[in-house]
Amino acid sequence: MVSIKEVARRCGVSVATVSKALNDKSDIGEETKRRIRKIADEMGYLPNATARALRLKRSYSIGVLIGNEEGTGLTDEFFPKVLNSLKKAVEKRGYEITFINKEIGNHTMTYLEHCRYRGVDGVVLAYVKYWEPEIMELLENDFPVVTVDYVFDKKTSVCYDYAQGIKDLVKYIYEKGHRKIAYIHGENVKYVGTTKERVESFYNTMAELGLKVPEEYVKAGEYLNFRKAGRLTAQLMDLPDPPTCIMYPNDFSALGGMGEILKRKLVIPNDISIAGYDGIPVSKAMTPELTTLEQDLDKMGDAIAQNIVELIENPANTEPKRILIQGRVLQGGSVGKLI
Amino acid sequence: MVSIKEVARRCGVSVATVSKALNDKSDIGEETKRRIRKIADEMGYLPNATARALRLKRSYSIGVLIGNEEGTGLTDEFFPKVLNSLKKAVEKRGYEITFINKEIGNHTMTYLEHCRYRGVDGVVLAYVKYWEPEIMELLENDFPVVTVDYVFDKKTSVCYDYAQGIKDLVKYIYEKGHRKIAYIHGENVKYVGTTKERVESFYNTMAELGLKVPEEYVKAGEYLNFRKAGRLTAQLMDLPDPPTCIMYPNDFSALGGMGEILKRKLVIPNDISIAGYDGIPVSKAMTPELTTLEQDLDKMGDAIAQNIVELIENPANTEPKRILIQGRVLQGGSVGKLI
DNA sequence: TTGAAAGCGGTACCAG
DNA sequence: CTGGTACCGCTTTCAA
């Protein structure tokens, strides 16, 4: 690789001059700049990010720290898409994504240490166990951090607006004429309040609409357990006074519920209506298309990118923000009109 | 951050000695090593990866270059899982993953340039447009590269064994008693021969089993177009002599086909059998569970990791390899037994 | 407007 | 066994 020194020699100037010319500093003559840039180009000169990072103490790389429990992080149904838009958005701003972890080879260091070791300028936390001391260390420290789907008072967070999402969905179902709406919700994940937020929003919205929710209409399912969703669906349908519409923790579970309904030779939405949550591609491939709440994954990634970069480039303006990302109801065809 | 110099001062030795002690070189006394390590630990010393990379010209980071067309790369249904296992596997070997791209801020450089700029030790190519000059440059150059699902003679590749997968699937269906097997295949993607490989394997296996394939039993669908899968399913079912089993390009399309079947109030697998490909989570949540070929994503990631690291650490042994990753038939329940 | 030199944090050669 | 020192490639201060 051709270095700045070789360019300098070739141009008959000093390395300092080349550096300044290439960085378009004001104290170099226009003519000189042009000449140096031309020659550097011809020689195929490329800056060396490592050297620059060492000198500037800025790597222009952003760490992404994700949990690796089954079904979360990269194995999650939509986080990769968020990552994709995050990646594009930071790249547009001149940054790159690097994954942060704890064990590297046989060395073990804390996440914060790893961040410093690698010299990332900031870090995005997603799907991690927020109560772990190692994560707390990162959170409590004065290091640019954005948390995803989790609020910590001292750091900027970007979250889906589940409360609004559930509200919109319930209202949509209500407008279709349903009054007997059941909700199979996900498990309470220890480190995020998202399930609680959804369930509360469900109750609040129902109350707002003047509807009573029979206790047996709300069931605790699990996000990734479609069989359980099927069993709970059966329980709901076997109720003396069954619901006309069932809401599921997510699209995946809705597919499980749909299985139970198909087994009974019932037709969606004529005999019963269902609604999912997330709007993953499969929801559109189902027949009928699933009524669900589509999360705006692109906007999510964009918001994360914008905020982490802002934090990095403007550390003085350190007010933690709370960003909420709105989704929208995908009408699909799995919620029927009741007359 | 505490540097090696401060540790040296504190220990009353030279930086050289500290460096060697910390790297466990043989020319430092055991006692000294112990003492230095202890003090370094107490001081919370951390090496600086950037400085080390600059000096060693080894960053211990591996670039991942992925296409970003809709539905590929990170937005693909299973690549993120491959990436997840790749990530874990390289981390175990002391490396990290960084994404490589072309435009960074408003600078544009070729991929190869970006690799050099960032100083990654090697690069993994997936879902890229292999015919592009920029990719060719990377491929033709003497830089550690592993390609995913694409074979280039001079580089090591790791691919799914589609030929074997289709063969196993067809044989399984055959053993269930089916003789009239239709195949809706994916579109021919310009840069990878995977579709061709599958279709050829389909014909070969059918021939091997002594079965004739009516021309109208083989249809060109699209991987991500479930509606088209539905339409083609209708065409197949409307044939004077319809197939008893339909194979789809992937699980997603199979879901589309299933929709068409449900619309006709037919029951899978009693009235007609279907099979997918990929074994994504949704295939297990379908009712009945989809018969499909599950790709071994973990093994894929592992193999990529192993090979790129080997290439990096042993550049002399430069023989390009071709690795094939085997999948397995998930029996599910969507292919019925014919008597 | 240009250049010499220091230094970012390490590693490794070579001398002692 | 230990240490002085050059150097990796770049930026920046300060002097010319």
Side-chain angles (χ1 to χ4, degrees), chain B residues 9-268:
Chain B
R9 183 146 23 86
R10 188 90 140 61
C11 292
V13 296
S14 75
V15 291
T17 305
V18 175
S19 172
K20 285 185 231 173
L22 261 22
N23 288 307
D24 205 20
K25 299 290 180 190
S26 60
D27 58 351
I28 300 288
E30 274 312 319
E31 180 46 45
T32 320
K33 275 186 195 173
R34 246 194 307 280
R35 210 186 83 238
I36 292 177
R37 278 204 276 258
K38 184 156 165 293
I39 295 182
D41 237 42
E42 284 168 9
M43 295 177 73
Y45 168 78
L46 275 180
N48 178 317
T50 308
R52 185 179 263 164
L54 178 60
R55 177 69 230 223
L56 297 180
K57 294 184 179 310
R58 287 277 270 102
S59 64
Y60 289 91
S61 76
I62 291 172
V64 170
L65 180 49
I66 43 177
N68 60 356
E69 271 178 286
E70 198 49 46
T72 71
L74 283 172
T75 60
D76 174 277
E77 194 69 34
F78 38 76
F79 181 71
K81 286 171 191 162
V82 173
L83 182 59
N84 193 47
S85 78
L86 167 63
K87 171 175 178 290
K88 280 193 215 163
V90 300
E91 284 170 358
K92 205 183 305 166
R93 294 172 165 82
Y95 290 79
E96 282 170 356
I97 296 289
T98 294
F99 288 115
I100 289 297
N101 60 307
K102 167 149 80 177
E103 277 154 74
I104 194 83
N106 33 26
H107 287 285
T108 301
M109 40 181 112
T110 70
Y111 297 123
L112 179 61
E113 285 173 344
H114 193 195
C115 286
R116 295 214 212 279
Y117 167 69
R118 269 293 166 182
V120 294
D121 298 333
V123 63
V124 173
L125 301 187
Y127 297 90
V128 298
K129 297 171 183 158
Y130 289 98
W131 72 88
E132 282 189 344
E134 299 232 332
I135 296 293
M136 288 303 290
E137 175 190 37
L138 206 44
L139 253 20
E140 293 285 359
N141 214 288
D142 168 39
F143 194 89
V145 167
V146 167
T147 60
V148 177
D149 238 10
Y150 174 83
V151 178
F152 182 77
D153 11 333
K154 298 176 201 159
K155 296 292 180 185
T156 289
S157 59
V158 184
C159 307
Y160 296 109
D161 193 344
Y162 294 110
Q164 187 63 45
I166 290 291
K167 187 172 187 171
D168 291 347
L169 201 51
V170 170
K171 284 195 166 168
Y172 171 78
I173 295 166
Y174 178 87
E175 280 160 18
K176 285 291 219 174
H178 293 265
R179 297 297 177 265
K180 297 193 273 182
I181 306 171
Y183 185 20
I184 299 175
H185 59 78
E187 70 272 30
N188 237 318
V189 189
K190 191 174 171 188
Y191 43 104
V192 272
T194 60
T195 302
K196 197 161 155 264
E197 184 184 343
R198 299 185 204 202
V199 175
E200 282 176 2
S201 173
F202 175 75
Y203 279 113
N204 291 342
T205 311
M206 290 295 274
E208 199 178 300
L209 294 169
L211 299 179
K212 287 196 75 165
V213 182
E215 196 182 332
E216 62 276 18
Y217 270 22
V218 177
K219 304 261 180 209
E222 290 167 35
Y223 289 105
L224 297 174
N225 190 336
F226 59 90
R227 279 181 223 287
K228 189 162 187 181
R231 287 197 301 273
L232 294 173
T233 302
Q235 285 179 26
L236 286 168
M237 292 170 66
D238 290 337
L239 245 33
D241 184 24
T244 59
C245 180
I246 303 177
M247 289 169 54
Y248 290 86
N250 57 18
D251 296 346
F252 197 65
S253 299
L255 196 56
M258 181 180 172
E260 177 62 28
I261 294 166
L262 290 182
K263 269 190 212 148
R264 297 179 177 219
K265 313 261 186 222
L266 297 180
V267 173
I268 299 169

Side-chain angles (χ1 to χ4, degrees), chain A residues 190-264:
Chain A
K190 191 172 172 188
Y191 43 104
V192 273
T194 59
T195 301
K196 198 161 154 264
E197 184 184 345
R198 300 186 203 201
V199 175
E200 282 174 4
S201 174
F202 175 75
Y203 279 113
N204 290 342
T205 310
M206 291 294 276
E208 199 178 301
L209 294 169
L211 298 179
K212 286 197 73 164
V213 182
E215 195 183 332
E216 62 275 19
Y217 271 21
V218 178
K219 304 260 179 207
E222 290 167 35
Y223 289 105
L224 296 174
N225 190 338
F226 59 89
R227 278 181 224 287
K228 189 163 185 181
R231 287 197 301 273
L232 295 172
T233 302
Q235 285 177 26
L236 287 168
M237 292 170 66
D238 290 337
L239 246 32
D241 184 24
T244 60
C245 180
I246 303 176
M247 290 170 54
Y248 290 86
N250 58 18
D251 296 346
F252 197 65
S253 298
L255 196 56
M258 181 181 173
E260 177 61 28
I261 294 166
L262 289 183
K263 269 191 212 147
R264 296 176 177 223

